[in-house]
Amino acid sequence: MSSLAGSGSAHLRGDAAILSVEDLEVEYHTAAGAFKAVAGVSFDLLPGETLGIVGESGCGKSTTGRAVLRLDPIAGGTVRYRDDSIDTASPRRLRELRRDMQMIFQDPVSSLNPRRSVKDVVTEGLAIDGRSKKERDERAPAVLEQVGLPSERFAGMLPRQLSGGQAQRVAIGRALALQPGLLICDEPVSALDVSVQAQILNLLEDLKKKYELTIVFIAHDLGVVRSFSDNVLVMYLGKTCEFGDAVEVYDRPAHPYTRGLLDSVPRPDAEGGFEGPALTGDLPSPLNPPSGCRFRARCPIAQDRCATEEPVMREIRPGQYAACHFPLD
Amino acid sequence: MSEGLLLEVENLHAYIGSPRGVVKAVDGVSFTLGRGEALGIVGESGSGKSVMARAVMGLMPPRSGRTGTLRFDGRDLLGLGRKQLEQIWGTQIAMVFQDPGRSLSPVVRVERQLTEGMRRHLGVSKSEASSRALRLLNEVGVPDPERRLRAYPHELSGGMRQRVMIAVALACEPELLIADEPTTALDVTIQRQVLDLLRRIQRERRMSLMLISHDLHVVAGQTDRVAVMYAGRMAETGASRTVFDHPRHRYSNALLAATPSIEHVRHASLNVIPGALPSPTDPPEGCRFAARCTAATVECTTTQPPMAPIGIDHEVACFHPVHEKEGELVGR
């Protein structure tokens, strides 16, 4: 596989970005062979922006988020955060950088150390940063307070005593205790009931404003992503399909996959409960992706060219980019 | 659409023993389901929707009990023994679960999983069962069905497994299909395919369908009527579009307002339902939602609001239902 086989980077915005990912590749090795879970993905964020990354299983969205922090090894491409190159940073520098780049995960309870009290969990980062026990004890109540957990009640509890929503609040508190510049949220609300999900989304929205956070928000729920994101990146089988302002992309998708994804969102007002036709077929295996455009096997408008030539990201409308030979109007 | 009632549930209680006491998972639920009708059951974790479905099937865990009335096709289901229930499973009522990987046997080929029930319940020959199995896979949209008959479940994708699971459920031509979160584990484009499939089959076979989901959006467009459950009780029932467009129970309304739809105003605060579910072992007097409800009064904490009509084919268990206009204020 050529390392040039990315999906293009015409949508990047240069030095103004705080995080810039270019032609990112991540390889997984399985019994059935090695494959690229992320096969040339580019995106960037300006300070204070929220980028939503959407896509289905195997699209590489979670792997992309992990690779930004180098939690998964980067096999190709570059990741720049402020003035540092993440892909080449020394282990020591990487540890320093990760204080400023924090992550929260889907399953809040298992992401917390089960033997530590809530107070210790939220100040974990401060301990690693070398702050004294005294300072940590002083900071803990404020950290818990800002995520809506009264310290008197919660500080001494263990993670398993918390509900899913409370545990996710602890995880958010832990991530924000070091006042990071970048927060990567990987499906932060998908394990939660709707009523709890709304509480967590509101909390994240408030904290984002308060701390001017830059956020990468990875989720499969299209409604959640649109309500929370400035820009959106649509991924399919390790590649980028579309990038642009979330409202514009949702209102007028240029990539047929984005269209199909949006038409899969239940619309109780529409006849049959959906708008537009369904996408046919199954998600192909990332072990053996189709040639050319990876979406072509399910694409309702694919032509011969799509099988031979891989489309790259290009500007379809001002600020809206898609990797498609035959973009939608 | 409906030619009389198929299922009548009256004051159903389903209790389950637990180390922390008796969990009143379903605590006085009544509803009906017509022949050929699609009914959606909606609720969050702890609403009792899945236990209710299992109570109808007679699939209760050990140390549990059911009281009330369960009439299926005029027959009392609660009085039936294991033998009689086994005759009903598959041929009268069949069920599809969230995780097809766990409900299909991993060591048995698709063909035998499809034909086993037919051979036993319908008494058809082996070759007749095989050709029916092939027709079933065609009907549920499994490509290359001849080859898929020889496959084991793990050789199929999640979406294909769910189609096979549906085919297994349909094999003995049940009159009622209960689908419990059938698409929750699937990707959105595959979820849509499976929902389209369930809808088509339900209509073509004129079968009754009970579609259970945590998501009112998923259910409302696929069913004729919906029932919203909260903490073991029924909060609201009615025509699906009516309940979705004009939810009148304070809980249904709050639930919809808390769900970011793809038309939601960006970065706008979502409506939040404060607090948490009441204890399932020691539920409060009165309305179960009262402690989280913005409109609750003293009456709500002392008296259980009965289900009462509030419009055409629309009932709600609430002393202070949302006004029709007020319902439009929610952020969607």
Side-chain angles (χ1 to χ4, degrees):
Chain A
M1 249 184 272
S2 154
S3 63
L4 294 173
S7 12
S9 53
H11 54 298
L12 296 187
R13 291 163 292 180
D15 293 342
I18 185 171
L19 174 72
S20 184
V21 174
E22 203 165 347
D23 287 329
L24 177 71
E25 290 184 345
V26 181
E27 273 182 3
Y28 281 159
H29 298 268
T30 70
F35 72 96
K36 284 184 178 150
V38 178
V41 163
S42 306
F43 62 88
D44 62 9
L45 286 97
L46 301 181
E49 247 178 18
T50 299
L51 172 71
I53 304 186
V54 293
E56 298 175 274
S57 310
C59 76
K61 57 187 191 299
S62 291
T63 308
T64 299
R66 294 172 56 83
V68 166
L69 296 184
R70 237 168 85 189
L71 297 175
D72 283 335
I74 295 170
T78 58
V79 177
R80 177 182 64 77
Y81 177 66
R82 296 190 201 270
D83 296 324
D84 277 280
S85 159
I86 302 295
D87 48 291
T88 57
S90 68
R92 185 188 186 141
R93 179 67 187 143
L94 198 57
R95 274 200 298 280
E96 287 168 10
L97 285 166
R98 282 183 187 151
R99 287 170 206 172
D100 201 34
M101 309 165 73
Q102 291 284 327
M103 187 152 182
I104 54 178
F105 300 92
Q106 173 174 348
D107 184 349
V109 178
S110 70
S111 75
L112 307 177
N113 187 330
R115 292 161 187 274
R116 293 282 187 86
S117 70
V118 163
K119 184 190 83 180
D120 287 347
V121 169
V122 293
T123 55
E124 219 166 60
L126 294 168
I128 293 165
D129 199 39
R131 317 286 180 91
S132 69
K133 172 116 177 49
K134 183 163 167 286
E135 190 189 338
R136 296 194 319 254
D137 287 348
E138 282 166 11
R139 276 289 304 284
V143 171
L144 287 173
E145 213 69 50
Q146 71 172 2
V147 292
L149 300 174
S151 182
E152 320 77 75
R153 183 171 155 214
F154 288 98
M157 285 170 93
L158 292 170
R160 65 178 150 75
Q161 297 172 293
L162 303 173
S163 69
Q166 288 162 352
Q168 198 57 289
R169 286 173 188 270
V170 171
I172 294 169
R174 174 179 63 179
L176 296 184
L178 283 166
Q179 295 172 327
L182 177 72
L183 185 65
I184 296 179
C185 306
D186 186 8
E187 300 273 11
V189 294
S190 51
L192 306 174
D193 269 318
V194 171
S195 59
V196 182
Q197 165 180 304
Q199 297 172 11
I200 298 296
L201 289 171
N202 284 352
L203 173 67
L204 282 170
E205 196 78 64
D206 290 345
L207 294 170
K208 180 177 91 179
K209 288 193 195 102
K210 191 169 165 195
Y211 294 108
E212 299 173 343
L213 287 166
T214 306
I215 298 183
V216 177
F217 189 88
I218 299 159
H220 69 281
D221 185 315
L222 291 149
V224 167
V225 166
R226 185 181 175 284
S227 77
F228 196 74
S229 308
D230 300 309
N231 289 322
V232 65
L233 182 77
V234 182
M235 290 182 66
Y236 187 79
L237 221 60
K239 299 274 185 185
T240 57
C241 293
E242 184 156 6
F243 172 84
D245 177 88
V247 170
E248 283 170 26
V249 168
Y250 277 56
D251 285 353
R252 210 175 154 199
H255 198 289
Y257 177 59
T258 314
R259 172 85 272 161
L261 210 49
L262 290 168
D263 286 344
S264 301
V265 175
R267 306 294 283 263
D269 294 338
E271 174 60 32
F274 291 103
E275 275 170 10
L279 283 180
T280 54
D282 246 326
L283 290 158
S285 160
L287 276 166
N288 188 17
S291 64
C293 174
R294 294 190 171 192
F295 180 59
R296 70 177 162 83
R298 302 177 72 196
C299 182
I301 58 167
Q303 311 210 5
D304 292 347
R305 184 181 169 199
C306 306
T308 52
E309 193 183 327
E310 185 179 346
V312 294
M313 293 288 272
R314 61 189 171 99
E315 193 164 25
I316 309 294
R317 287 182 273 281
Q320 191 175 346
Y321 296 78
C324 179
H325 296 308
F326 306 101
L328 305 173
D329 202 13
Chain B
M1 176 198 325
S2 86
E3 310 141 27
L5 295 180
L6 181 66
L7 178 69
E8 293 161 86
V9 177
E10 264 173 54
N11 199 22
L12 178 69
H13 296 256
Y15 289 2
I16 301 169
S18 88
R20 279 184 243 174
V22 174
V23 173
K24 297 173 177 171
V26 177
D27 206 16
V29 159
S30 305
F31 66 94
T32 59
L33 175 61
R35 288 178 198 279
E37 185 178 50
L39 171 71
I41 309 278
V42 176
E44 296 181 279
S45 315
S47 65
K49 58 188 190 301
S50 290
V51 175
M52 193 272 288
R54 282 165 177 74
V56 170
M57 274 294 269
L59 288 173
M60 293 291 287
R63 302 209 303 131
S64 65
R66 298 175 296 168
T67 62
T69 309
L70 266 182
R71 253 192 314 274
F72 181 82
D73 210 1
R75 217 168 146 193
D76 175 26
L77 287 183
L78 281 192
L80 297 185
R82 177 84 191 184
K83 275 246 165 68
Q84 291 160 306
L85 273 176
E86 279 177 7
Q87 280 167 6
I88 281 181
W89 290 339
T91 59
Q92 309 280 312
I93 312 176
M95 196 157 172
V96 175
F97 300 89
Q98 174 175 338
D99 183 355
R102 285 218 307 234
S103 19
L104 292 169
S105 168
V107 294
V108 176
R109 289 182 207 273
V110 166
E111 177 166 17
R112 214 180 96 208
Q113 312 215 26
L114 281 164
T115 55
E116 213 163 36
M118 287 189 252
R119 300 266 288 138
R120 178 148 39 124
H121 291 300
L122 307 182
V124 297
S125 70
K126 201 169 169 197
S127 65
E128 168 65 12
S130 289
S131 63
R132 282 189 189 203
L134 194 62
R135 281 207 298 278
L136 276 169
L137 285 191
N138 257 321
E139 184 182 354
V140 298
V142 170
D144 199 359
E146 288 87 355
R147 192 163 63 86
R148 263 35 187 273
L149 280 178
R150 311 284 309 147
Y152 289 97
H154 71 88
E155 297 173 296
L156 306 173
S157 69
M160 279 309 141
R161 274 204 292 269
Q162 195 55 285
R163 286 174 192 269
V164 168
M165 187 66 225
I166 291 168
V168 170
L170 295 175
C172 297
E173 299 175 355
E175 290 173 68
L176 168 62
L177 179 66
I178 300 177
D180 187 6
E181 301 266 11
T183 61
T184 306
L186 304 175
D187 278 307
V188 279
T189 62
I190 310 300
Q191 160 168 292
R192 157 133 198 211
Q193 293 173 359
V194 170
L195 290 173
D196 284 348
L197 168 69
L198 282 172
R199 185 187 180 77
R200 175 170 62 75
I201 282 173
Q202 184 250 329
R203 294 205 167 164
E204 284 173 3
R205 295 187 166 231
R206 296 163 160 239
M207 185 178 66
S208 301
L209 174 70
M210 198 188 286
L211 180 62
I212 300 167
S213 174
H214 63 283
D215 189 342
L216 185 50
H217 289 78
V218 164
V219 156
Q222 304 300 325
T223 52
D224 306 307
R225 283 165 63 237
V226 294
V228 180
M229 288 183 73
Y230 182 79
R233 294 248 176 91
M234 223 39 121
E236 181 162 8
T237 65
S240 301
R241 281 294 295 274
T242 308
V243 174
F244 184 77
D245 290 339
H246 302 287
R248 304 294 296 275
H249 194 284
R250 294 277 160 183
Y251 171 66
S252 329
N253 189 58
L255 187 67
L256 270 171
T259 313
S261 79
I262 60 172
E263 279 136 26
H264 192 85
V265 180
R266 184 153 52 161
H267 300 312
S269 192
L270 293 162
N271 282 343
V272 157
I273 306 176
L277 276 174
S279 158
T281 52
D282 185 22
E285 299 278 303
C287 173
R288 302 252 158 116
F289 188 57
R292 306 175 75 183
C293 182
T294 50
T297 56
V298 175
E299 187 186 19
C300 305
T301 60
T302 55
T303 314
Q304 180 188 337
M307 272 297 221
I310 198 165
I312 302 162
D313 188 20
H314 196 178
E315 290 189 11
V316 61
C318 181
F319 290 128
H320 312 288
V322 179
H323 303 297
E324 241 170 296
K325 290 210 173 102
E326 200 184 337
E328 285 160 19
L329 294 177
V330 301
R332 51 185 176 109

